[in-house]
């Protein structure tokens, strides 16, 4: 498919037309990715409610559609038609823009996630750095929303979130340095390919320390239990989005779940081998290489959803940490572990090469 | 060069937590002065649920005021009823028959389990774990169904009566209760697996809201909140009522007086309550469930409908109330929240001259500033949960 397109574009001589075709292709890719991603986000909420429901001896959504399958759509429609309340004392321009910043920054991260070999909107060579940049940018949305709501609960939630995201960003960035050293690239497609060539097929085995730090940091980055302090409902009512309603609230909600999807995708790409299965399995079962591409996209999705399941599982099991304990874990445990991991990985790489 | 000294003026942030807040267990309002995340000052405001229960009690006969006690601590209405009827019986100088006493002890301990299980669920939910909360409702539902089977009501039961209980219990009820009693310890193990040794839970509760034994006594704490500090005081042991002197049970005690010890104490109390129910079922004697004291107890309903004398008897007691000896009486009972005391001043008429309720939740709410100040916001939540207050009782 891609080759045919490339050859077609190659025949076009007019540079402007060529640019136009490129843009159209990118737009189509974006449309597909956003549509599919948002559908996944919607059904991630459904799946979460089902999983947690069954863990908590209840059924989860069951009324809307067969087995409640239409529940996310009903929720979306409801949120869309709800009244959009803006507090009288809110800083209105900032109040408007905060959910948009949050949502767009998480959505933009989708552009560098490789769902399959060539199916990535922007195959840039600093994909991993781009992801970090975007997830840090999302914190601005949260802080601005907390500030502009002019509510003390939202303000505290925003402050908590800012410090939390900044602290855990470091741990998370450091945890992935090991992967960068092993694969020698920041491009996510290359990282996946390098993993497939590696004897274990997945980096989470040699990078077990980094994997651990990444998982914990991912929970904190996406404000999920046990680190959901910015929106701790028993302390801060709803945290930074206390004053939001209707569609603006939906943007935060979607952004948060997209964030989870992206964290799961990063985990799948960097530690679990993306859309590939380890080489030794491929060698043992040669018929696998004849399977159509769609199967490998499904493999990727299975990995993503397995990680999402882990998110839900933890949410159903653990209480919430306190603010100072959260900071202590970030600075005193995760960052030293991540640094240790970098040292070990670097030494191992030098020793094996030399 | 001119030296300009500029110190930034910082202010404390005042937030009003409640009366509408997810974690204040009703309509408690705490005004918190915060320095960052640290609580500098905490001022509780109560009274949002004030209904004038004490005054209402003074305008009703002793029989008609019983349902008011349901509405004190609406989570454990059975225990309040038992406390109320015991106090009134003490004032009247009558005693319930054996069978009624056993039944009361049994249903009061069921009430204790259902109240503690709500406490466990909400306390753990406040600290962030959602699953035990829903598990808790599974067990509470069984007890609620049993109450419904017993008297038709689930929440505001008004089952015990002055001089006994309203109706005898059925064999079917006993069988189902016995099944529950046998099953309950394994359910408790479920909770303990999820919570007791959980590291996050321990981080959030060990060493939080510490109050020493001496201080706890000085603040007037009772119940699990007091015993968490290691003070061995339980009304059921020290001034036994009903049949608590004839059943075996231990009083779980804490050591450090922190949230975690209070948690362990209440978990232990649930197991002990289960033990008491089991003994009550096994020892339950046969006999009447209403005292034979015609001046103070209502005649049986079927006789009222058939017989003139009984009708007049009922009419007099309902309209005028019983003729009560003059004097005053205080009776404390151990409800799930602590020591619930009823104090009556009688002027010889059918209505109390003064009815006073010593509500443990009110006393416990007053200790909140002592527990919260100097801690973090998250500790405020843990502390509200750990003192186990219900605002219906606190505000009366």
């Amino acid at each position: 498919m891609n080759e045919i397109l490339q050859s077609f574009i190659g025949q076009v001589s007019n540079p402007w037309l060529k640019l136009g075709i490129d843009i159209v292709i990118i737009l189509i890719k974006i449309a597909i990715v956003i549509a599919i991603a948002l559908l996944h986000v919607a059904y991630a909420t459904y799946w979460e409610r089902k999983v947690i429901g069954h863990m908590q001896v209840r059924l989860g959504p069951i009324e809307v559609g067969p087995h409640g399958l239409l529940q996310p759509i009903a929720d979306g429609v409801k949120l869309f038609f709800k009244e959009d309340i803006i507090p009288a004392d809110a800083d209105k321009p900032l109040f408007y823009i905060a959910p948009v910043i949050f949502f767009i920054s998480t959505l933009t991260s989708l552009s560098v996630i490789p769902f399959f070999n060539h199916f990535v909107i922007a195959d840039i060579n600093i994909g991993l750095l781009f992801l970090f940049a975007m997830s840090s940018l999302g914190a601005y949305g949260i802080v601005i929303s907390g500030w502009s709501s002019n509510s003390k609960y939202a303000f505290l939630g925003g402050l908590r979130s800012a410090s939390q995201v900044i602290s855990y960003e470091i741990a998370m960035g450091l945890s992935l340095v090991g992967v960068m050293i092993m694969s020698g690239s920041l491009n996510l497609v290359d990282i996946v390919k390098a993993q497939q060539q590696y004897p274990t097929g997945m980096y989470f085995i040699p990078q077990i320390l980094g994997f651990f730090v990444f998982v914990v940091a991912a929970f904190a980055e996406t404000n999920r239990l046990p680190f959901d302090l910015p929106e701790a409902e028993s302390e801060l009512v709803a945290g930074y989005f206390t004053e939001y309603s209707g569609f603006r609230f939906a943007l935060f909600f979607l952004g948060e779940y997209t964030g989870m999807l992206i964290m799961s995708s990063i985990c799948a790409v960097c530690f679990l081998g993306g859309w590939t299965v380890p080489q030794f399995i491929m060698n043992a079962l040669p018929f696998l290489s004849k399977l159509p591409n769609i199967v490998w996209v499904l493999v990727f999705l299975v990995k993503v959803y397995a990680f999402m399941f882990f998110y839900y599982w933890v949410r159903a099991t653990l209480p919430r940490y306190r603010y100072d304990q959260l900071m202590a874990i970030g600075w005193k445990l995760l960052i030293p572990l991540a640094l240790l991991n970098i040292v070990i990985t670097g030494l191992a790489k030098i020793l094996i090469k030399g | 060069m001119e030296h300009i000294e500029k110190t930034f003026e910082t202010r404390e942030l005042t937030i009003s937590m409640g009366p509408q807040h997810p974690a204040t267990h009703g309509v408690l309002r705490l005004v918190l002065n915060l320095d960052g995340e640290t609580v500098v000052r905490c001022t509780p405001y109560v009274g949002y649920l004030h209904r004038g229960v004490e005054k209402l009690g003074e305008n009703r006969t002793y029989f008609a005021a019983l349902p008011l006690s349901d509405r004190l601590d609406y989570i454990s209405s059975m225990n309040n009823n038992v406390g109320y009827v015991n106090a009134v019986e003490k004032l009247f100088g009558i005693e319930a028959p054996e069978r009624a006493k056993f039944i009361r002890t049994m249903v009061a301990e069921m009430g204790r389990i259902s109240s503690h299980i709500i406490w466990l669920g909400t306390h753990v939910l406040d600290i962030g774990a959602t699953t035990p909360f829903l598990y808790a409702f599974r067990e509470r539902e069984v007890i609620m169904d049993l109450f419904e089977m017993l008297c038709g009501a689930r929440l505001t039961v008004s089952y015990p009566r002055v001089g006994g209980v309203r109706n005898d219990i059925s064999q079917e009820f006993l069988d189902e209760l016995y099944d529950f009693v046998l099953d309950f310890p394994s359910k408790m193990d479920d909770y303990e697996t999820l919570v007791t040794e959980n590291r996050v839970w321990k981080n959030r509760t060990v060493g939080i809201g510490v109050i020493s034994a001496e201080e706890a006594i000085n603040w007037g704490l009772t119940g699990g909140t007091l015993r968490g500090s290691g003070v061995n005081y339980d009304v059921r042991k020290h001034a036994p009522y009903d049949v608590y002197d004839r059943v075996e049970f231990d009083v779980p005690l804490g050591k450090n007086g922190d949230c975690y010890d209070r948690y362990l104490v209440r978990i232990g109390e649930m197991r002990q309550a289960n033990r008491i129910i089991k003994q009550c079922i096994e020892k339950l004697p046969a006999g009447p469930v209403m005292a034979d004291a015609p001046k103070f107890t209502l005649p049986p309903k079927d006789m009222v409908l058939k017989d003139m004398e009984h009708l007049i008897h009922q009419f007099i007691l309902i309209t005028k109330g019983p003729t009560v000896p003059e004097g005053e009486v205080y009776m404390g009972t151990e409800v799930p929240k602590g020591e619930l005391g009823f104090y009556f001043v009688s002027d010889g008429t059918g209505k109390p001259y003064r009815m006073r309720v010593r509500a443990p939740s009110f006393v416990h709410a007053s200790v909140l500033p002592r527990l919260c100040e100097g801690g973090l916001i998250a500790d405020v939540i843990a502390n509200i949960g750990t003192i186990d207050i219900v605002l219906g009782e606190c505000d009366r």
Side-chain angles (χ1 to χ4, degrees), chain A residues 154-185:
Chain A
F155 178 58
L156 280 173
L159 283 186
R160 279 185 179 188
S161 181
S163 45
Q164 178 173 331
V165 170
I166 289 167
S167 309
Y168 278 75
E169 194 77 23
I170 300 169
M172 188 163 176
L174 291 176
S175 74
L176 287 170
V177 170
V179 173
M180 295 174 199
I181 294 174
M182 284 188 73
S183 64
S185 171

Side-chain angles (χ1 to χ4, degrees), chain B residues 235-296:
Chain B
V235 184
R236 294 174 296 173
K237 282 279 188 206
H238 289 81
Y241 53 97
D242 288 340
V243 292
Y244 283 110
D245 49 349
R246 271 171 283 167
V247 289
E248 279 175 28
F249 65 99
D250 302 325
V251 180
L253 292 177
K255 272 204 263 333
N256 308 321
D258 56 6
C259 289
Y260 187 67
D261 277 21
R262 290 189 279 270
Y263 159 79
L264 289 180
V265 163
R266 292 206 176 92
I267 290 283
E269 275 181 20
M270 276 194 262
R271 291 188 189 275
Q272 294 303 325
N274 195 53
R275 214 173 129 197
I276 297 173
I277 298 175
K278 190 157 181 258
Q279 291 174 52
C280 284
I281 299 175
E282 282 159 359
K283 291 182 182 169
L284 188 67
V289 292
M290 227 20 202
D292 183 24
K295 284 205 180 297
F296 299 111

Side-chain angles (χ1 to χ4, degrees), chain B residues 15 21 39 44 90 103 150 152 168 208 238 254 329 331 356:
Chain B
I15 65 170
H21 186 278
V39 179
K90 193 174 173 188
I103 293 174
L150 184 67
D168 205 350
I208 303 301
H238 289 81
V329 70
M331 173 85 196
R356 157 95 183 125

